[in-house]
Amino acid sequence: MGLTDMLMKVTGSEVPKKMKNRVEMSRYFCYYQKTIPKCVDIMRAIEESLDPDEYVIHCFEGKRIVERVQWNVFYAFTEKRILFGAEKQVFSPLTAFENFFENIMYNDIIEMKINDNTIIIKYNNKEERCICYREESINELKKRVLPLIQQRRNTSEKKEPSTDSSITEIRKYKELLDEGIITEEEFEKKKKELLNL
């Protein structure tokens, strides 16, 4: 019995679909990554930063690519954001990275692409690149996370009408108000609707 099998036996054999704590994340991680997670402190930070109604739906340990240097980073995907971080790593006297912990809201993601085992996330004029070596993790990411990100992007695009078209519509309704075709109450209701108030 390997170390991964032992952890699955101790923590439970069922793979959780939604994770709220580091034990559940470890179990999920072991199932898909076939190894023990190294970033236990980052898992703890993720667990502590989850909102009461927020769950992790996918997680993996990948290699973050920063200026041609790759380092281990733990990624956790919830229903609304990506949480990721790493513990201090020293590669040479000139190359070292301190602990860090960040998150990206799905609404802020402009584009997320998966090319073979490389994941590229473009958001807020930034880019996050990582390598995931497990095909099972990539498949779960495509199946469980990409549709959520696309759904969030579509929802936010629908909610943000063009300011110009909103102003034009309000002017049309103001003319109808001035002509006595609609009431002040109807005009205010439509104005609030168009301005998303």
Side-chain angles (χ1 to χ4, degrees), residues 37-126:
K38 297 178 188 97
C39 299
V40 178
D41 288 341
I42 300 303
M43 284 183 174
R44 183 178 296 115
I46 289 167
E47 178 182 342
E48 291 169 359
S49 68
L50 291 174
D51 294 335
D53 63 339
E54 186 177 21
Y55 293 88
V56 173
I57 58 170
H58 184 57
C59 60
F60 67 89
E61 196 171 84
K63 296 279 186 185
R64 187 179 198 201
I65 306 166
V66 179
E67 298 175 12
R68 288 185 268 168
V69 175
Q70 298 178 14
W71 51 312
N72 295 329
V73 176
F74 188 82
Y75 292 86
F77 298 81
T78 73
E79 300 98 338
K80 60 184 177 181
R81 62 183 169 156
I82 305 168
L83 300 154
F84 59 103
E87 296 164 12
K88 183 177 180 175
Q89 297 172 43
V90 179
F91 299 98
S92 72
L94 300 175
T95 310
F97 293 101
E98 294 299 321
N99 289 10
F100 81 93
F101 185 73
E102 297 179 27
N103 76 78
I104 304 170
M105 299 302 290
Y106 290 162
N107 292 345
D108 295 333
I109 295 176
I110 297 161
E111 181 180 25
M112 182 168 169
K113 291 191 293 190
I114 301 173
N115 298 329
D116 296 323
N117 64 348
T118 304
I119 301 159
I120 304 164
I121 305 165
K122 295 181 180 181
Y123 67 103
N124 296 341
N125 298 321
K126 297 178 186 176

Side-chain angles (χ1 to χ4, degrees), residues 170-188:
I170 291 170
R171 285 187 178 133
K172 286 180 186 175
Y173 281 97
K174 177 68 170 134
E175 286 176 19
L176 293 173
L177 173 66
D178 293 343
E179 293 172 12
I181 297 170
I182 62 171
T183 65
E184 180 76 32
E185 186 178 286
E186 292 169 318
F187 170 73
E188 288 299 322

